[in-house]
Amino acid sequence: MAELVPFAVPTGSDKTLLVWELSSGPTAEALQHSLFTVFSQFGLLYSVRVFPNAAVAGPGFYAIIKFYSARDAHRAQKACNQKQLFQKSPVKIRLGTQHKAVQHNALALNSSRCQELANYYFGFNGWSKRIIKLQDLSDPEEERENEDIVAPLQKQSLKFFCALEVVLPSYECRSPGVGMAEEPLDNLEEGPLSLLMKRKKTQKLAIQRALTDAFQKLQIVVLESGKIAVAYRSCEEVTDARTEEELQDLIQVSCFSWKPCGQGEEECLSDFSFEEEEFTVPELN
């Protein structure tokens, strides 16, 4: 059966591994690095988080590892459970369990995560972005001066709009995206250099939000053979990614391409600032 991998924060328990009986010798940081090295061999990881055991369980650590793909998580669990891996004693691994009452809607990945996922499945040269329009929507200087007279307490701001498209030439697929960013200004404090830096920052943020929006309309289809296809969702089905509102898990497919594509090799790990699901942690005997 084919698996859909969206450009969203993985939330399913079938994509999450619970690893326990990690030894107390290494530091949490060292364990995190070792776990990432081992489990990244099975697929792209979203996060590796290491926690100390509860006092009643004795010294040691346990870890929660998130994959983007449920298939990769299953393969890793079967291959590594009850194995020593990087320590003298075997570790125990199982797929995370989630309380039935707890439901999580997917959140859009940020632009850097989207690019990491695209690089992994499509390859570094397998996709590109094309900026169609980058427009300054900030108030003109003349209007600012008039507004300063009429409403001196109203703060000015920089505002940029970006429209772009993500292009997948091997799949003959293009996905449009839009984004807007705004940065407040304080005319009494802003110097020329500070204003220039804020303009660049606002432009970059608008581009990043447009890129995220474009990726939300795409889903990666992983076939049983390992080949990759692309599913495209129309813009009516996707929530505006600029605000990173919760996205509904919609999988209505409007176009497919079944051409294979090589995988990228870069796998980086960062940004662990998200809430974990509620897991039933097994008793540590």
Side-chain angles (χ1 to χ4, degrees), residues 7-102:
F7 285 86
V9 176
T11 58
S13 58
D14 59 344
K15 299 179 181 180
T16 305
L17 295 183
L18 183 62
V19 183
W20 71 101
E21 294 199 359
L22 295 170
S23 62
S24 59
T27 64
E29 291 76 13
L31 286 172
Q32 185 182 67
H33 176 75
S34 298
L35 288 167
F36 175 78
T37 300
V38 170
F39 286 95
S40 62
Q41 300 176 44
F42 297 93
L44 186 62
L45 302 179
Y46 177 78
S47 66
V48 178
R49 305 188 71 181
V50 178
F51 306 91
N53 289 339
V56 295
F61 297 88
Y62 71 96
I64 295 174
I65 301 174
K66 281 181 174 284
F67 285 83
Y68 285 98
S69 164
R71 186 177 299 170
D72 293 342
H74 279 265
R75 289 194 303 110
Q77 192 274 334
K78 289 183 179 180
C80 299
N81 187 35
Q82 300 290 351
K83 299 294 177 60
Q84 292 181 341
L85 301 181
F86 48 82
Q87 61 182 36
K88 294 182 180 180
S89 58
V91 300
K92 294 182 179 179
I93 306 170
R94 78 175 187 192
L95 290 171
T97 57
Q98 184 176 329
H99 295 298
K100 293 182 179 180
V102 179

Side-chain angles (χ1 to χ4, degrees), residues 105-106 219 233 237-239 245-251:
N105 292 326
Q219 288 187 320
R233 299 182 292 173
E237 298 175 352
V238 183
T239 303
E245 293 291 333
E246 293 181 347
L247 303 175
Q248 295 296 327
D249 187 19
L250 302 171
I251 58 173

Side-chain angles (χ1 to χ4, degrees), residues 149-272:
I149 298 174
V150 177
L153 297 179
Q154 184 178 0
K155 289 188 176 180
Q156 305 300 325
S157 63
L158 291 172
K159 186 184 297 183
F160 280 89
F161 168 82
C162 178
L164 55 72
E165 63 179 4
V166 169
V167 182
L168 301 170
S170 297
Y171 304 90
E172 300 179 353
C173 186
R174 295 172 180 265
S175 179
V178 295
M180 187 176 295
E182 187 172 4
E183 181 74 13
L185 288 177
D186 189 340
N187 293 331
L188 297 178
E189 297 180 2
E190 301 293 343
L193 180 58
S194 177
L195 181 61
L196 177 61
M197 297 300 294
K198 280 198 171 185
R199 283 182 61 86
K200 290 185 176 180
K201 176 184 175 182
T202 310
Q203 287 177 341
K204 182 178 180 181
L205 185 56
I207 294 172
Q208 290 174 341
R209 289 177 174 174
L211 187 61
T212 296
D213 183 51
F215 274 116
Q216 298 318 299
K217 301 177 181 69
L218 299 174
Q219 288 187 320
I220 300 164
V221 184
V222 184
L223 306 179
E224 289 188 3
S225 63
K227 293 183 178 181
I228 304 300
V230 175
Y232 176 78
R233 299 182 292 173
S234 62
C235 58
E236 288 81 5
E237 298 175 352
V238 183
T239 303
D240 187 355
R242 289 178 298 155
T243 58
E244 292 193 351
E245 293 291 333
E246 293 181 347
L247 303 175
Q248 295 296 327
D249 187 19
L250 302 171
I251 58 173
Q252 182 175 347
V253 176
S254 58
C255 69
F256 270 100
S257 176
W258 300 98
K259 297 180 181 178
C261 182
Q263 293 182 347
E265 297 179 353
E266 181 184 34
E267 294 181 359
C268 63
L269 185 65
S270 63
D271 187 12
F272 302 136

Side-chain angles (χ1 to χ4, degrees), residues 103-119:
Q103 295 182 350
H104 294 274
N105 292 326
L107 292 174
L109 292 174
N110 61 36
S111 62
S112 61
R113 292 280 192 162
C114 287
Q115 293 176 81
E116 179 186 28
L117 191 59
N119 288 338

